[in-house]
Amino acid sequence: MTAALGSTRRDKIDELAARAGQVPAGGGGVSLARSAFRRLRRDPVAIIGAVIVVAFLLVAALAPWLAPRDPLEQALLSEVRQGSIPGSREGFPLGVDQLGRDVLSRLIYGSRQSLLIGVVSTVLGAVAGMALGVLAGAFGGWVDTVVMRFVDILLSIPGLLMAISISVLLGQNQYALMIAIAVTQVPVFARLLRGSMLSQRDSDYALAAKALGVKRSRIVLGHVLPNSLSPVIVQATLSLATAIIEAAALSFLGLGDPDISRPEWGAMLSSAQAVLSFAPMLAVYPALCIIVVALGFTLLGESLREALDPKFRR
């Protein structure tokens, strides 16, 4: 009898959660994810963004097979002169840099670094920010006040300035770069999840669960939190674009990975400054890569936002 009553309570709560538009009720209707996917398939902006993102992921994953040469091989160093760098030719579609290394191969391998730094820093920032958001959204009261004041302090510091300060304090290495970018993203995820949880906390299914005597921890972790993750997922997609741009900016300022065996777009931009007067394309190529990839993630993220937002469903 007790088990049957518990099952009935869970079914009622799940049904109310489904009516909130987050979970499919008893197999009827269309789930939020499936409905969003249908809209994304018909959205040309989403398709363009997805194509760019998938192409970027494939290039990064298949870099050893796609790159025509070793990115560290100084194949044409003997032809590099003061004020003159060999341009495009057979075997070197985009020419070489000031050390005689193939630019195309370095761009392809640089995508791996951008992807690694972007994904790791975004995951770290999302996990830390979501932990703060759950604390603030679940407990409220003085816990919410303390967490939000800490988040406000982080928000009061310009992101790039904070990232530079952390990179200097932790030292010039790849891990410091990831942590520095992650810290700048923590307050965004914290405020976003906290606001989403506050709106879900007062919804019908949460109030029904309280009335039925369900523990608060189960309500928060089993219902409120899962139904609050949609905007966080969208923000993670947008934050990837920001992370890639910030990684390139820190590398451009000389705060990136000092290991020259790992090509990176921001570092390529920085090294190209010395030869801009006679080889401007060495700066144009990595800049275009950064712009296109950031644009792809931004287009996909904005389309996801509209697809998951009930106000745009019509």
Side-chain angles (χ1 to χ4, degrees):
M1 179 66 70
T2 303
L5 289 174
S7 177
T8 302
R9 292 196 306 177
R10 286 194 298 270
D11 292 342
K12 288 181 179 179
I13 297 170
D14 290 340
E15 182 180 354
L16 287 170
R19 290 177 182 175
Q22 305 296 328
V23 182
V30 180
S31 68
L32 179 63
R34 184 176 299 178
S35 176
F37 180 70
R38 288 180 179 177
R39 288 192 293 275
L40 288 174
R41 287 190 306 175
R42 297 190 293 265
D43 187 354
V45 175
I47 294 174
I48 294 173
V51 168
I52 294 174
V53 170
V54 170
F56 171 60
L57 296 177
L58 289 176
V59 169
L62 304 176
W65 295 274
L66 294 177
R69 295 180 178 274
D70 184 345
L72 300 180
E73 180 187 1
Q74 297 178 337
L76 298 183
L77 181 60
S78 59
E79 299 186 27
V80 176
R81 301 286 186 270
Q82 182 69 29
S84 175
I85 296 177
S88 176
R89 63 173 63 182
E90 185 178 357
F92 299 88
L94 301 181
V96 298
D97 63 5
Q98 57 270 46
L99 295 179
R101 299 170 296 189
D102 182 37
V103 173
L104 177 59
S105 299
R106 293 184 62 79
L107 288 174
I108 292 175
Y109 271 89
S111 64
R112 309 187 91 183
Q113 286 298 106
S114 296
L115 177 62
L116 175 64
I117 295 172
V119 169
V120 173
S121 60
T122 300
V123 169
L124 291 176
V127 170
M130 288 172 62
L132 294 176
V134 169
L135 284 176
F139 292 97
W142 68 269
V143 176
D144 183 20
T145 302
V146 171
V147 171
M148 284 299 101
R149 296 299 75 76
F150 173 71
V151 170
D152 289 341
I153 292 173
L154 294 180
L155 284 173
S156 66
I157 305 173
L160 186 57
L161 178 60
M162 181 187 297
I164 292 174
S165 303
I166 295 174
S167 296
V168 172
L169 289 174
L170 297 181
Q172 187 180 2
N173 58 74
Q174 192 176 35
Y175 302 106
L177 186 64
M178 295 176 184
I179 294 173
I181 297 173
V183 171
T184 63
Q185 297 185 359
V186 167
V188 177
F189 287 103
R191 292 184 68 89
L192 187 63
L193 184 58
R194 179 244 186 191
S196 183
M197 288 187 67
L198 288 179
S199 63
Q200 292 291 332
R201 195 174 64 181
D202 296 327
S203 58
D204 292 339
Y205 68 88
L207 295 176
K210 291 179 183 178
L212 291 172
V214 180
K215 292 182 179 179
R216 180 163 62 173
S217 60
R218 183 169 181 178
I219 297 174
V220 171
L221 299 179
H223 296 284
V224 175
L225 179 59
N227 291 334
S228 304
L229 290 179
S230 294
V232 176
I233 295 173
V234 174
Q235 182 59 43
T237 306
L238 297 171
S239 294
L240 268 170
T242 304
I244 291 173
I245 294 174
E246 289 184 349
L250 292 175
S251 296
F252 179 81
L253 296 173
L255 298 173
D257 191 353
D259 188 354
I260 62 172
S261 66
R262 291 195 282 254
E264 200 274 328
W265 292 341
M268 293 175 67
L269 266 175
S270 179
S271 62
Q273 301 305 302
V275 296
L276 269 181
S277 59
F278 54 90
M281 297 308 293
L282 292 181
V284 171
Y285 292 139
L288 284 177
C289 290
I290 296 170
I291 292 170
V292 171
V293 171
L295 178 64
F297 279 108
T298 301
L299 293 178
L300 183 59
E302 290 295 340
S303 299
L304 272 174
R305 186 197 303 275
E306 294 181 4
L308 293 171
D309 193 334
K311 293 183 293 184
F312 291 97
R313 289 186 185 180
R314 290 185 180 180

